[in-house]
Amino acid sequence: MAKVQEAAFEKAETKRDYYHLIINGERMESSNGSTIDACNPATGEIIAKVAKATKEDAEKAVQAARQAFDNGKWKKTPINKRSRVLNKIAAIMRSRFNELVELEVLNSGKSISAAEGQVMQAIEDFEFYAGALVAHRGSVNNVPGQFHNYTEKEPVGVCAQIIPWNYPMMMAAWKIAPAIAVGCSVIVKPASLTPLTAIVLGEICLEAGVPSGVVNIIPGPGADVGNYLVEHPDVNKVAFTGSTPIGRDLMGKASQTLKRVTLELGGKSPNIVFDDADLEAAIDGSLYGIFYNTGQSCEARSRLYVHEDIYDDFVDKFVEKTKKLKLGNPLDKETHVGAIIDQGQLDVINNYVQSAIADGADILTGGKPAVIEGFEGGYWFEPTVIANVNHDMDVVKEEIFGPVVVIMKFKDEKEAIKLANDTEFGLGSALWTKDGGRATRVANQIEAGIVMVNCPFSAFPGTPFGGYKQSGFGRELCIETLDLYTETKSIISFYGSRPLNPFGI
Ligand code: NAD
């Protein structure tokens, strides 16, 4: 594999024409010289070339991560020093905030307001884990007899971290921060469509003092490079965020070597508006809940249930506001809804809308690809509201991953809960009511990892994020994530004064 001589991480440029793999603390070309075109979904233009990892590169990355873990340099670094390095990563990110945001917008097509929030959260994730790792510890347990038992948390080892294209920087931070906090080594495989900010984050980790080989970044094809990592015997854990079908497949493959697995998968999250809700807040929050990040969000509240008494009024106002959403230049702060990631995803969204029309649904607004002046080469879809649907339709059952919401009526609390839970997924959910008792009752009965009550926000550093049912398992973004990157060792010692002789011989 060709090393690139100018590799130096004192200060890596954020925006450039070419991005390398990061393996063992070096910038690397792909073993066969192949590249990925990183595009701007808003325009369709190629913005940079990226080295495309092969299986050979994946093998190098695994060996680098293995060696970095086994030599103990990072995992034996005292906790306060590891914490300082995580804070330094955050500090460097802060100092490059605007560059990182711009790069994220250019490579993902998302609106700058969404990207700003996500890059800021990525920074705060490192700060959160810089503190959380200090609080992460084992336990001392009561045991009968003259035995002392305590537990220690040890890093699980080499982690393959496979991430999707919808939140490129935030997902990289959600994965890297807790893993390196506890002393693991990681190989991050970003989605081929959006590798740029993850690569820069890898460089920042090195600049901040993370030892070579602890953080490796290798964008490449999932079925090839991703699969190779999942099956590799030297990889101890797989942390995957992506679609449910790939997650299922990957779990089967990881079982061959009994890897630790966490899966953050798809969703079809319900959003319930009761008749006693603050209507304006519910409308604004529901709008954000589906159209934020152009609906390309795992916890997008894409099934909207509205009490029958307020249904007509709610729908009129919701549609009116949907029509006011501004699509356009993602770098413009006034833009609400950015581009769709690529032509393939645009076709998927369009096909779902067409299937709804064929099934007899009503399109209340939107319903087709959008043409944006000055951005004609990009991939755009009109924010779409669909009514007159039922739970047999694909558009209600399946994750669309675009700016499309279906609206249905319910008559009482019981029916709302039944409809909300009538899904194979269980990631996000939201409810709007002024009745505190109802909020608690409904929250208790919803089968989802996250319940948003009178608010549209699902993730802050420190709040557990993850799914029930086919939305996966394991929680990210919180203290318990550290447990998922560690093994618990139980130490039992005898402190009696007489020797033990269990056989009595
Ligand atoms: P995807 O499943 O197609 O790909 C995700 C990642 O897996 C990519 O890096 C891809 O290259 C890789 N991959 C693909 N095939 C693989 C294989 N056989 N072995 C190993 N790796 C493989 O998902 P996507 O289209 O990139 O992202 C959208 C999906 O991600 C949606 O379903 C969304 O709900 C989900 N998502 C979930 C969360 C969450 O926290 N639950 C967050 C963001 C996105």
Side-chain angles (χ1 to χ4, degrees), residues 162-167 171 174 189-192 220-223 226-227 230 240-244 246-247 249-250 253 264-267 297-298 399 401 427 465 471 476:
I162 300 175
I163 58 176
W165 48 259
N166 62 330
Y167 295 128
M171 289 297 110
W174 283 24
K189 198 211 79 62
S192 301
N227 222 8
V230 171
F240 173 79
T241 299
S243 59
T244 296
I246 304 282
D249 177 56
L250 187 149
K253 288 178 175 143
E264 298 280 5
L265 308 177
S297 201
C298 49
E399 182 179 46
F401 226 56
L427 187 58
F465 191 99
S471 291
E476 293 195 308

Side-chain angles (χ1 to χ4, degrees), residues 208-289:
V210 175
S212 298
V214 172
V215 174
N216 305 276
I217 316 277
I218 54 165
D224 198 4
V225 171
N227 222 8
Y228 188 80
L229 295 174
V230 171
E231 292 182 338
H232 202 293
D234 280 339
V235 171
N236 304 99
K237 172 179 169 109
V238 176
F240 173 79
T241 299
S243 59
T244 296
I246 304 282
R248 268 190 210 115
D249 177 56
L250 187 149
M251 188 173 162
K253 288 178 175 143
S255 72
Q256 294 308 306
T257 39
L258 280 183
K259 289 182 175 48
R260 280 67 184 131
V261 176
T262 45
L263 300 174
E264 298 280 5
L265 308 177
K268 188 77 185 176
S269 300
N271 185 9
I272 308 169
V273 183
F274 288 98
D275 50 343
D276 64 353
D278 175 334
L279 200 63
E280 288 307 309
I283 289 167
D284 294 343
S286 302
L287 205 68
Y288 186 85

Side-chain angles (χ1 to χ4, degrees), residues 291 318-320 322-323 362-367 382-386:
F291 297 120
F318 185 81
V319 168
E320 196 186 313
T322 302
K323 287 179 179 163
D362 297 332
I363 309 296
L364 303 186
T365 183
E382 295 174 349
T384 300
V385 182
I386 308 181

Side-chain angles (χ1 to χ4, degrees), residues 8-170:
F9 294 96
E10 288 81 37
K11 175 132 173 49
E13 254 179 84
T14 306
K15 250 170 77 181
R16 49 193 196 255
D17 297 335
Y18 196 94
Y19 293 77
H20 295 94
L21 311 175
I22 301 194
I23 299 175
N24 206 20
E26 304 279 351
R27 287 199 186 113
M28 298 275 182
E29 296 286 5
S30 156
S31 63
N32 65 7
S34 60
T35 56
I36 298 166
D37 289 337
C39 290
N40 178 350
T43 60
E45 287 162 0
I46 297 172
I47 52 173
K49 295 265 181 201
V50 182
K52 178 180 179 182
T54 61
K55 287 183 188 169
E56 199 180 310
D57 298 319
E59 179 59 33
K60 296 275 182 193
V62 172
Q63 293 318 323
R66 185 81 259 162
Q67 210 185 3
F69 186 76
D70 291 345
N71 74 23
K73 194 171 165 191
W74 179 243
K75 71 179 172 196
K76 291 195 175 133
T77 297
I79 277 182
N80 62 329
K81 289 197 179 146
R82 281 212 304 269
S83 174
R84 204 179 304 148
V85 172
L86 264 75
N87 273 322
K88 186 155 181 207
I89 294 169
I92 296 171
M93 290 169 81
R94 272 187 197 280
S95 71
R96 295 195 202 159
F97 180 74
N98 290 336
E99 296 169 54
L100 292 172
V101 167
E102 192 181 340
L103 190 63
E104 189 77 328
V105 171
L106 290 175
N107 193 197
S108 68
K110 64 179 70 205
S111 67
I112 190 163
S113 56
E116 280 175 344
Q118 291 161 26
V119 172
M120 185 50 75
Q121 207 220 63
I123 294 168
E124 289 172 354
D125 292 342
F126 280 95
E127 291 167 344
F128 171 75
Y129 283 111
L133 84 98
V134 178
H136 188 240
R137 57 173 76 100
S139 58
V140 178
N141 303 301
N142 288 327
V143 201
Q146 294 175 306
F147 299 97
H148 176 58
N149 174 233
Y150 65 97
T151 63
E152 284 185 349
K153 301 282 185 182
E154 295 184 348
V156 73
V158 172
C159 306
Q161 303 184 311
I162 300 175
I163 58 176
W165 48 259
N166 62 330
Y167 295 128
M169 167 137 271
M170 210 170 73

Side-chain angles (χ1 to χ4, degrees), residues 171-458:
M171 289 297 110
W174 283 24
K175 296 276 183 278
I176 296 172
I180 65 170
V182 295
C184 291
S185 306
V186 303
I187 304 138
V188 180
K189 198 211 79 62
S192 301
L193 289 166
T194 53
L196 304 190
T197 45
I199 292 173
V200 175
L201 178 55
E203 295 177 352
I204 289 173
C205 289
L206 289 160
E207 186 185 330
V210 175
S212 298
V214 172
V215 174
N216 305 276
I217 316 277
I218 54 165
D224 198 4
V225 171
N227 222 8
Y228 188 80
L229 295 174
V230 171
E231 292 182 338
H232 202 293
D234 280 339
V235 171
N236 304 99
K237 172 179 169 109
V238 176
F240 173 79
T241 299
S243 59
T244 296
I246 304 282
R248 268 190 210 115
D249 177 56
L250 187 149
M251 188 173 162
K253 288 178 175 143
S255 72
Q256 294 308 306
T257 39
L258 280 183
K259 289 182 175 48
R260 280 67 184 131
V261 176
T262 45
L263 300 174
E264 298 280 5
L265 308 177
K268 188 77 185 176
S269 300
N271 185 9
I272 308 169
V273 183
F274 288 98
D275 50 343
D276 64 353
D278 175 334
L279 200 63
E280 288 307 309
I283 289 167
D284 294 343
S286 302
L287 205 68
Y288 186 85
I290 178 63
F291 297 120
Y292 168 72
N293 215 50
T294 321
Q296 299 172 126
S297 201
C298 49
E299 86 297 359
R301 272 119 289 155
S302 49
R303 291 183 292 139
L304 184 45
Y305 299 99
V306 183
H307 189 273
E308 58 188 11
D309 289 353
I310 57 164
Y311 181 86
D312 291 341
D313 192 21
F314 182 98
V315 170
D316 285 351
K317 290 178 174 153
F318 185 81
V319 168
E320 196 186 313
K321 285 213 168 176
T322 302
K323 287 179 179 163
K324 287 187 182 157
L325 289 170
K326 191 163 175 273
L327 278 71
N329 183 357
L331 285 168
D332 180 346
K333 297 234 180 201
E334 302 293 307
T335 296
H336 300 116
V337 180
I340 304 299
I341 193 70
D342 68 355
Q343 184 64 47
Q345 186 60 20
L346 188 68
D347 293 343
V348 167
I349 297 166
N350 204 18
N351 288 341
Y352 271 112
V353 173
Q354 294 311 314
S355 82
I357 295 169
D359 287 343
D362 297 332
I363 309 296
L364 303 186
T365 183
K368 57 182 192 307
V371 179
I372 308 294
E373 203 186 327
F375 293 85
E376 290 82 359
Y379 316 106
W380 300 87
F381 202 84
E382 295 174 349
T384 300
V385 182
I386 308 181
N388 195 21
V389 293
N390 63 58
H391 274 224
D392 292 330
M393 294 181 183
D394 288 348
V395 78
V396 176
K397 287 189 294 193
E398 295 175 15
E399 182 179 46
I400 298 174
F401 226 56
V404 179
V405 66
V406 290
I407 306 199
M408 288 161 277
K409 271 182 207 175
F410 66 89
K411 65 175 182 311
D412 57 23
E413 205 174 293
K414 194 171 163 207
E415 188 185 20
I417 293 163
K418 185 166 177 280
L419 290 167
N421 288 339
D422 182 22
T423 171
E424 64 170 340
F425 297 108
L427 187 58
S429 63
L431 61 102
W432 303 84
T433 176
K434 285 186 191 149
D435 178 339
R438 167 180 279 158
T440 307
R441 262 193 321 276
V442 177
N444 283 347
Q445 293 174 79
I446 287 194
E447 297 161 356
I450 305 142
V451 184
M452 292 158 258
V453 179
N454 296 327
C455 85
F457 306 117
S458 61

